[in-house]
Coordinates of all heavy atoms in Angstrom, one line a residue:
M14 N 83.8 96.3 108.0 CA 83.1 95.4 107.1 C 84.0 95.0 105.9 O 84.3 95.9 105.1 CB 81.8 96.0 106.7 CG 81.0 95.0 105.8 SD 80.5 93.5 106.6 CE 80.5 92.4 105.2
N15 N 84.4 93.8 105.8 CA 85.2 93.4 104.7 C 84.3 93.2 103.4 O 83.2 92.8 103.5 CB 86.0 92.1 105.0 CG 87.1 92.4 105.9 OD1 87.2 93.4 106.6 ND2 88.0 91.4 106.0
C16 N 84.9 93.4 102.3 CA 84.2 93.2 101.0 C 83.9 91.7 100.9 O 84.7 90.8 101.1 CB 85.1 93.6 99.9 SG 84.5 93.1 98.3
P17 N 82.6 91.4 100.5 CA 82.2 90.0 100.4 C 82.8 89.3 99.1 O 82.8 88.1 99.0 CB 80.7 90.0 100.3 CG 80.4 91.3 99.8 CD 81.5 92.3 100.3
V18 N 83.3 90.1 98.2 CA 83.8 89.6 96.9 C 85.3 89.3 97.1 O 85.8 88.2 96.8 CB 83.6 90.6 95.8 CG1 84.1 90.0 94.5 CG2 82.1 90.9 95.7
C19 N 86.1 90.3 97.5 CA 87.6 90.1 97.5 C 88.1 90.0 98.9 O 89.2 89.6 99.2 CB 88.3 91.3 96.8 SG 88.1 92.8 97.7
G20 N 87.2 90.2 99.9 CA 87.6 90.1 101.3 C 88.5 91.3 101.8 O 89.0 91.2 102.9
G21 N 88.6 92.3 100.9 CA 89.5 93.4 101.2 C 88.8 94.4 102.2 O 87.6 94.3 102.5
R22 N 89.6 95.3 102.7 CA 89.0 96.2 103.7 C 88.9 97.6 103.1 O 88.6 98.6 103.9 CB 89.9 96.2 104.9 CG 89.8 94.8 105.6 CD 90.9 94.7 106.7 NE 90.6 95.6 107.8 CZ 91.3 95.7 108.9 NH1 92.4 94.9 109.0 NH2 91.0 96.5 109.9
A23 N 89.1 97.8 101.8 CA 89.0 99.1 101.2 C 87.6 99.4 100.9 O 87.2 99.6 99.7 CB 89.9 99.2 99.9
T24 N 86.7 99.4 101.9 CA 85.3 99.6 101.7 C 84.9 100.9 102.3 O 85.5 101.4 103.3 CB 84.5 98.4 102.2 OG1 84.8 98.3 103.6 CG2 84.9 97.1 101.5
G25 N 83.8 101.5 101.8 CA 83.2 102.7 102.3 C 81.7 102.6 102.3 O 81.1 101.9 101.5
K26 N 81.1 103.3 103.3 CA 79.7 103.3 103.4 C 79.1 104.3 102.4 O 79.6 105.5 102.4 CB 79.3 103.6 104.8 CG 77.9 103.1 105.2 CD 77.7 103.2 106.7 CE 76.4 102.5 107.0 NZ 76.0 102.6 108.4
V27 N 78.2 103.9 101.6 CA 77.6 104.9 100.7 C 76.1 105.1 100.9 O 75.4 105.9 100.3 CB 77.8 104.5 99.2 CG1 79.3 104.5 98.9 CG2 77.3 103.1 98.9
G28 N 75.5 104.4 101.9 CA 74.1 104.5 102.2 C 73.8 103.8 103.5 O 74.7 103.4 104.1
A29 N 72.5 103.8 103.8 CA 72.1 103.2 105.1 C 72.7 101.9 105.3 O 73.3 101.7 106.3 CB 70.5 103.1 105.1
S30 N 72.6 101.0 104.4 CA 73.2 99.7 104.5 C 74.0 99.3 103.2 O 74.1 98.1 102.9 CB 72.2 98.6 104.9 OG 71.1 98.7 104.1
H31 N 74.4 100.3 102.5 CA 75.1 100.1 101.3 C 76.6 100.4 101.5 O 76.9 101.4 102.1 CB 74.6 101.0 100.2 CG 73.5 100.5 99.4 ND1 72.2 100.5 99.8 CD2 73.5 99.8 98.2 CE1 71.4 99.9 98.9 NE2 72.2 99.5 97.9
Y32 N 77.4 99.6 100.9 CA 78.9 99.8 101.0 C 79.5 99.6 99.6 O 78.9 99.0 98.7 CB 79.5 98.7 101.9 CG 79.0 98.8 103.3 CD1 77.8 98.1 103.6 CD2 79.7 99.4 104.3 CE1 77.3 98.2 104.9 CE2 79.2 99.5 105.6 CZ 78.0 98.9 105.9 OH 77.6 98.9 107.2
Y33 N 80.6 100.2 99.4 CA 81.3 100.2 98.2 C 82.7 99.7 98.4 O 83.4 100.1 99.4 CB 81.4 101.6 97.6 CG 82.0 101.7 96.3 CD1 81.3 101.4 95.1 CD2 83.4 102.1 96.1 CE1 81.9 101.5 93.9 CE2 84.0 102.2 94.9 CZ 83.3 101.9 93.8 OH 83.9 102.0 92.5
C34 N 83.2 98.8 97.5 CA 84.6 98.3 97.6 C 85.4 99.0 96.5 O 85.1 98.9 95.3 CB 84.6 96.8 97.4 SG 86.3 96.2 97.4
W35 N 86.4 99.7 97.0 CA 87.3 100.4 96.1 C 88.2 99.4 95.3 O 88.7 99.8 94.2 CB 88.2 101.4 96.9 CG 87.4 102.5 97.5 CD1 86.9 102.5 98.8 CD2 86.8 103.6 96.9 NE1 86.2 103.6 99.0 CE2 86.1 104.3 97.9 CE3 86.9 104.1 95.6 CZ2 85.4 105.5 97.6 CZ3 86.2 105.3 95.3 CH2 85.5 106.0 96.3
D36 N 88.4 98.3 95.8 CA 89.3 97.3 95.1 C 88.6 96.7 93.9 O 89.2 96.6 92.8 CB 89.7 96.2 96.1 CG 90.9 96.7 97.0 OD1 91.5 97.7 96.6 OD2 91.1 96.1 98.0
C37 N 87.4 96.2 94.1 CA 86.7 95.6 93.0 C 85.6 96.4 92.4 O 84.9 96.0 91.5 CB 86.2 94.2 93.3 SG 85.7 93.8 95.0
C38 N 85.4 97.7 92.9 CA 84.4 98.6 92.3 C 83.0 98.0 92.2 O 82.4 98.1 91.2 CB 84.9 99.0 90.9 SG 86.4 99.9 90.9
V39 N 82.6 97.3 93.3 CA 81.3 96.9 93.4 C 80.6 97.5 94.6 O 81.3 98.0 95.5 CB 81.2 95.3 93.5 CG1 81.8 94.6 92.3 CG2 81.9 94.8 94.8
E40 N 79.3 97.5 94.6 CA 78.6 98.0 95.7 C 77.9 96.8 96.3 O 77.5 95.9 95.6 CB 77.5 99.0 95.2 CG 77.3 100.1 96.2 CD 76.4 101.2 95.7 OE1 76.8 101.9 94.7 OE2 75.3 101.3 96.2
Y41 N 77.7 96.8 97.6 CA 77.0 95.7 98.2 C 76.1 96.2 99.3 O 76.3 97.2 99.9 CB 77.9 94.6 98.7 CG 79.1 95.0 99.6 CD1 78.9 94.8 100.9 CD2 80.2 95.5 99.1 CE1 80.0 95.2 101.8 CE2 81.3 95.9 99.9 CZ 81.1 95.7 101.3 OH 82.1 96.1 102.1
R42 N 75.1 95.4 99.6 CA 74.1 95.8 100.6 C 74.0 94.6 101.6 O 74.0 93.5 101.2 CB 72.8 96.0 99.9 CG 71.7 96.6 100.8 CD 70.5 96.9 100.1 NE 69.7 95.6 99.9 CZ 68.6 95.5 99.2 NH1 68.2 96.6 98.5 NH2 68.0 94.4 99.1
I43 N 73.9 94.9 102.8 CA 73.8 93.9 103.8 C 72.5 94.1 104.6 O 72.2 95.2 105.0 CB 75.0 94.1 104.8 CG1 76.3 93.9 104.1 CG2 74.9 93.0 105.9 CD1 77.5 94.4 104.8
D44 N 71.7 93.1 104.6 CA 70.5 93.1 105.5 C 70.4 91.7 106.1 O 71.3 90.9 106.0 CB 69.3 93.5 104.6 CG 69.1 92.6 103.5 OD1 69.5 91.4 103.5 OD2 68.4 93.1 102.5
K45 N 69.3 91.5 106.7 CA 69.1 90.2 107.5 C 69.0 89.0 106.5 O 69.2 87.9 106.9 CB 67.9 90.3 108.4 CG 66.7 90.9 107.9 CD 65.7 91.0 109.1 CE 64.4 91.6 108.7 NZ 64.4 92.7 107.7
E46 N 68.7 89.3 105.3 CA 68.7 88.2 104.3 C 70.1 87.8 103.9 O 70.2 86.7 103.3 CB 67.9 88.7 103.0 CG 66.6 89.4 103.2 CD 65.5 88.4 103.5 OE1 65.3 87.5 102.6 OE2 64.9 88.5 104.6
G47 N 71.0 88.6 104.1 CA 72.4 88.3 103.7 C 73.0 89.4 102.9 O 72.6 90.6 103.1
V48 N 73.9 89.1 102.0 CA 74.6 90.2 101.3 C 74.2 90.1 99.8 O 74.2 89.0 99.2 CB 76.2 89.9 101.4 CG1 76.9 91.0 100.7 CG2 76.6 89.9 102.9
Q49 N 73.9 91.2 99.3 CA 73.7 91.3 97.8 C 74.8 92.2 97.2 O 75.0 93.3 97.7 CB 72.3 92.0 97.6 CG 71.1 91.1 97.8 CD 69.9 91.8 97.3 OE1 69.4 92.7 98.0 NE2 69.3 91.4 96.2
V50 N 75.3 91.7 96.1 CA 76.4 92.5 95.5 C 75.9 93.0 94.1 O 75.2 92.3 93.4 CB 77.6 91.6 95.3 CG1 78.8 92.4 94.7 CG2 78.1 90.9 96.6
F51 N 76.3 94.2 93.8 CA 75.9 94.9 92.6 C 77.2 95.4 91.9 O 78.1 95.9 92.5 CB 75.0 96.1 92.9 CG 73.8 95.8 93.6 CD1 73.8 95.9 95.0 CD2 72.7 95.3 93.0 CE1 72.6 95.6 95.7 CE2 71.5 95.0 93.7 CZ 71.5 95.2 95.1
D52 N 77.2 95.2 90.6 CA 78.1 95.8 89.7 C 77.7 97.2 89.4 O 76.5 97.5 89.4 CB 78.2 95.1 88.4 CG 79.4 94.2 88.4 OD1 80.5 94.5 89.0 OD2 79.3 93.1 87.7
I53 N 78.6 98.1 89.0 CA 78.2 99.4 88.5 C 78.6 99.5 87.1 O 79.8 99.3 86.7 CB 78.8 100.5 89.4 CG1 78.4 100.4 90.8 CG2 78.5 101.9 88.8 CD1 79.2 101.1 91.8
D54 N 77.6 99.7 86.2 CA 78.0 99.8 84.7 C 78.5 101.1 84.3 O 78.6 102.0 85.2 CB 76.8 99.3 83.9 CG 75.6 100.3 83.9 OD1 75.8 101.5 84.3 OD2 74.5 99.9 83.4
E55 N 78.8 101.3 83.0 CA 79.4 102.5 82.5 C 78.6 103.7 82.8 O 79.1 104.8 82.9 CB 79.7 102.4 81.0 CG 80.4 101.1 80.5 CD 79.4 100.0 80.4 OE1 78.3 100.2 79.9 OE2 79.7 98.9 80.9
E56 N 77.3 103.5 82.9 CA 76.4 104.7 83.1 C 76.2 104.9 84.6 O 75.4 105.8 85.0 CB 75.1 104.5 82.4 CG 75.2 104.6 80.9 CD 74.1 103.9 80.1 OE1 73.1 103.5 80.8 OE2 74.3 103.8 78.9
G57 N 76.8 104.1 85.5 CA 76.6 104.4 86.9 C 75.4 103.7 87.5 O 75.1 104.0 88.7
S58 N 74.8 102.8 86.8 CA 73.6 102.1 87.4 C 74.1 100.8 88.0 O 75.0 100.2 87.6 CB 72.5 101.8 86.3 OG 72.7 102.5 85.1
L59 N 73.3 100.4 89.0 CA 73.6 99.2 89.6 C 73.0 98.0 88.9 O 71.9 98.0 88.4 CB 73.0 99.2 91.0 CG 73.5 100.2 92.0 CD1 72.8 100.1 93.4 CD2 75.0 100.1 92.2
V60 N 73.8 97.0 88.6 CA 73.3 95.8 88.0 C 73.7 94.6 88.9 O 74.7 94.7 89.6 CB 73.9 95.6 86.6 CG1 73.4 96.7 85.7 CG2 75.4 95.7 86.6
S61 N 73.0 93.5 88.7 CA 73.3 92.3 89.5 C 74.8 91.9 89.2 O 75.2 91.8 88.1 CB 72.4 91.2 89.2 OG 71.1 91.5 89.7
F62 N 75.4 91.6 90.3 CA 76.8 91.1 90.2 C 76.8 89.7 89.6 O 76.1 88.8 90.2 CB 77.5 91.2 91.5 CG 78.9 90.7 91.5 CD1 79.9 91.4 90.9 CD2 79.3 89.4 92.0 CE1 81.2 90.9 90.8 CE2 80.6 89.0 92.0 CZ 81.6 89.7 91.4
D63 N 77.6 89.4 88.6 CA 77.7 88.1 88.0 C 79.1 87.5 88.4 O 80.1 88.0 87.9 CB 77.6 88.2 86.5 CG 77.7 86.8 85.9 OD1 77.9 85.8 86.6 OD2 77.6 86.7 84.6
P64 N 79.1 86.6 89.3 CA 80.4 86.0 89.7 C 81.3 85.5 88.6 O 82.5 85.5 88.7 CB 80.1 84.9 90.7 CG 78.7 85.2 91.1 CD 78.0 85.9 90.0
G65 N 80.6 85.2 87.5 CA 81.4 84.7 86.3 C 82.3 85.8 85.7 O 83.2 85.5 85.0
N66 N 82.0 87.0 86.0 CA 82.8 88.1 85.5 C 83.9 88.5 86.4 O 84.6 89.5 86.2 CB 81.9 89.4 85.3 CG 81.0 89.2 84.1 OD1 81.3 88.4 83.2 ND2 79.9 89.9 84.1
E67 N 84.0 87.8 87.5 CA 85.0 88.2 88.5 C 86.4 88.4 88.0 O 87.2 89.2 88.5 CB 85.0 87.2 89.7 CG 85.5 87.8 90.9 CD 85.2 86.9 92.1 OE1 84.5 85.9 92.0 OE2 85.7 87.1 93.2
A68 N 86.8 87.6 87.0 CA 88.1 87.6 86.4 C 88.4 89.0 85.8 O 89.6 89.3 85.7 CB 88.3 86.5 85.4
L69 N 87.4 89.8 85.5 CA 87.6 91.1 84.9 C 88.2 92.0 85.9 O 88.7 93.1 85.5 CB 86.3 91.6 84.4 CG 85.6 90.9 83.2 CD1 84.3 91.5 82.9 CD2 86.5 90.9 82.0
Y70 N 88.0 91.8 87.2 CA 88.5 92.8 88.2 C 89.9 92.5 88.6 O 90.3 91.9 89.4 CB 87.5 92.7 89.4 CG 86.1 93.1 89.0 CD1 85.2 92.2 88.7 CD2 85.8 94.5 88.8 CE1 83.9 92.6 88.3 CE2 84.6 94.9 88.4 CZ 83.6 93.9 88.2 OH 82.4 94.3 87.8
Ligands
LIG12 ZN1 86.2 94.0 96.9

């Protein structure tokens, strides 16, 4: 499964349908609705990914 953000393959499974991308440090979830991407903040909580911040990665 390639990362939906960077298209890279440095991803790992972290839950039932949760994946983590080591390149952009985001977590994403895949279900029949599509792909949801989450950022991880300094405290380790998941927050909605804002594509406007993509330049930070
Ligand atoms: Zn990525």
Side-chain angles (χ1 to χ4, degrees):
M14 179 64 209
N15 287 14
C16 170
V18 179
C19 68
R22 295 170 68 179
T24 57
K26 202 166 189 187
V27 294
S30 49
H31 270 84
Y32 299 82
Y33 182 80
C34 175
W35 296 99
D36 281 342
C37 32
C38 298
V39 297
E40 215 174 293
Y41 54 99
R42 191 178 76 186
I43 299 160
D44 58 25
K45 45 187 179 324
E46 311 281 303
V48 180
Q49 280 186 289
V50 184
F51 303 95
D52 258 328
I53 300 164
D54 71 14
E55 310 79 46
E56 288 159 11
S58 348
L59 295 180
V60 294
S61 287
F62 178 72
D63 179 0
N66 287 337
E67 200 168 352
L69 296 175
Y70 297 99

